[in-house]
Amino acid sequence: MNLKLIALDLDGTLTNDQKEITPRTMDMLMKLQKEGVRLALASARPAPGLYATCDLLHMKEYGGILMSYNGGRIVEAATGKTLYETGMDMEETKEILRFLDTLPVNVILDDGVQFYVKDPKAYKIEYECWNNRMTCSQVDDLAEFLSFSPVKLLMSVQPEILLDVQKKIADQLPPSLIVVRTAPFYLEIIPAAINKGKGILDICRVLGIDRSESAAFGDAENDIPMIREAGFGVAMGNAEDAVKAAADYVTASNNEDGIALALEKIQ
């Protein structure tokens, strides 16, 4: 395979359960970058949540790309230049926020700089702030507070009710929006036009790379479009069954050097 681009989900894929990149995977990714392969971090997180990993992999030196918000915002790591961005309609988002107030979810709104929540101590809120290295401000009414067009709405949900809540939200959304699972305890509402699959195609187009020269790694539902669109789609051993079914190859888990093992096979 003439590999030129590798798109990597973070949590549960690039990082192990201790939120670390294993030495074997790190060595493989650094080796490939030095040989001219570009890396793209493909995450549901806002961009600040990607900076630490970007720096750890020295992506600014090797033409790396940051695909945040599931592909809603794509930027060059070195320059911060936005290559692509899609936002939600502000008034429509306010109506959705009012509906979400009736459900057992904790909404995490962000403007790309910081988070806004109703209860900073609610389920997974502190974890999300820590995970993205972002501050969190308390807001009494998110719908009234909103004065910008967000790229997404993130919600923490107790795992045992997540699927039921997801269906209730999906039934209320307009065709322009979808709700996806990004972790066992997270749901996200994003524009239907946004997904990691379109994101990797946009990156290939901008960089002049044929999709057949790309590989993608993931473990969750929101990684499926990217895995399908890439020239070589890889599901981690710890991935959801639907992700494995969509992949060209299933590798070892995120705790067992799954990325390095797969890349060794296609090099």
Side-chain angles (χ1 to χ4, degrees), residues 5 67 74 195-207 209-212 214 225-226 229-230:
L5 174 70
M67 183 201 302
I74 299 171
N195 63 69
K196 291 186 183 182
K198 184 178 184 302
I200 196 171
L201 292 179
D202 287 334
I203 293 171
C204 286
R205 174 178 48 80
V206 171
L207 299 182
I209 294 172
D210 191 275
R211 62 183 290 272
S212 66
S214 66
M226 177 174 71
E229 293 292 354

Side-chain angles (χ1 to χ4, degrees), residues 224 227-228 233 241-248:
I224 292 175
I227 285 172
R228 286 178 172 159
D241 288 343
V243 182
K244 292 178 179 178
D248 298 305

Side-chain angles (χ1 to χ4, degrees), residues 91-133:
E91 293 303 318
E92 191 172 66
T93 304
K94 288 184 177 184
E95 290 300 314
I96 293 168
L97 286 168
R98 295 184 183 103
F99 167 67
L100 294 177
D101 276 341
T102 69
L103 298 178
V105 303
N106 303 295
V107 179
I108 305 172
L109 177 68
D110 83 86
D111 57 5
V113 178
Q114 65 176 315
F115 290 129
Y116 304 95
V117 300
K118 295 180 68 173
D119 180 3
K121 299 296 183 181
Y123 179 62
K124 291 293 180 180
I125 300 296
E126 290 180 318
Y127 166 81
E128 184 65 10
C129 293
W130 168 82
N131 201 32
N132 286 280
R133 285 34 171 201

Side-chain angles (χ1 to χ4, degrees), residues 115-220:
F115 290 129
Y116 304 95
V117 300
K118 295 180 68 173
D119 180 3
K121 299 296 183 181
Y123 179 62
K124 291 293 180 180
I125 300 296
E126 290 180 318
Y127 166 81
E128 184 65 10
C129 293
W130 168 82
N131 201 32
N132 286 280
R133 285 34 171 201
M134 291 172 70
T135 58
C136 184
S137 295
Q138 186 170 5
V139 175
D140 291 334
D141 188 319
L142 290 173
E144 290 300 317
F145 167 79
L146 186 65
S147 60
F148 57 90
S149 297
V151 178
K152 72 170 185 179
L153 294 178
L154 174 64
M155 296 155 284
S156 63
V157 189
Q158 294 290 341
E160 62 270 19
I161 62 171
L162 184 141
L163 293 178
D164 180 59
V165 171
Q166 183 179 15
K167 183 179 184 306
K168 289 180 179 178
I169 294 173
D171 289 342
Q172 293 296 317
L173 292 180
S176 60
L177 299 173
I178 59 173
V179 56
V180 297
R181 298 189 303 278
T182 56
F185 42 81
Y186 282 152
L187 292 173
E188 295 191 5
I189 296 173
I190 58 175
I194 290 177
N195 63 69
K196 291 186 183 182
K198 184 178 184 302
I200 196 171
L201 292 179
D202 287 334
I203 293 171
C204 286
R205 174 178 48 80
V206 171
L207 299 182
I209 294 172
D210 191 275
R211 62 183 290 272
S212 66
E213 300 170 318
S214 66
F217 291 78
D219 72 302

Side-chain angles (χ1 to χ4, degrees), residues 206-264:
V206 171
L207 299 182
I209 294 172
D210 191 275
R211 62 183 290 272
S212 66
E213 300 170 318
S214 66
F217 291 78
D219 72 302
E221 179 187 47
N222 64 321
D223 296 316
I224 292 175
M226 177 174 71
I227 285 172
R228 286 178 172 159
E229 293 292 354
F232 188 65
V234 182
M236 306 302 291
N238 52 289
E240 299 174 14
D241 288 343
V243 182
K244 292 178 179 178
D248 298 305
Y249 181 75
V250 178
T251 188
S253 78
N254 62 319
N255 294 317
E256 301 169 310
D257 297 305
I259 290 174
L261 290 171
L263 291 172
E264 287 168 6

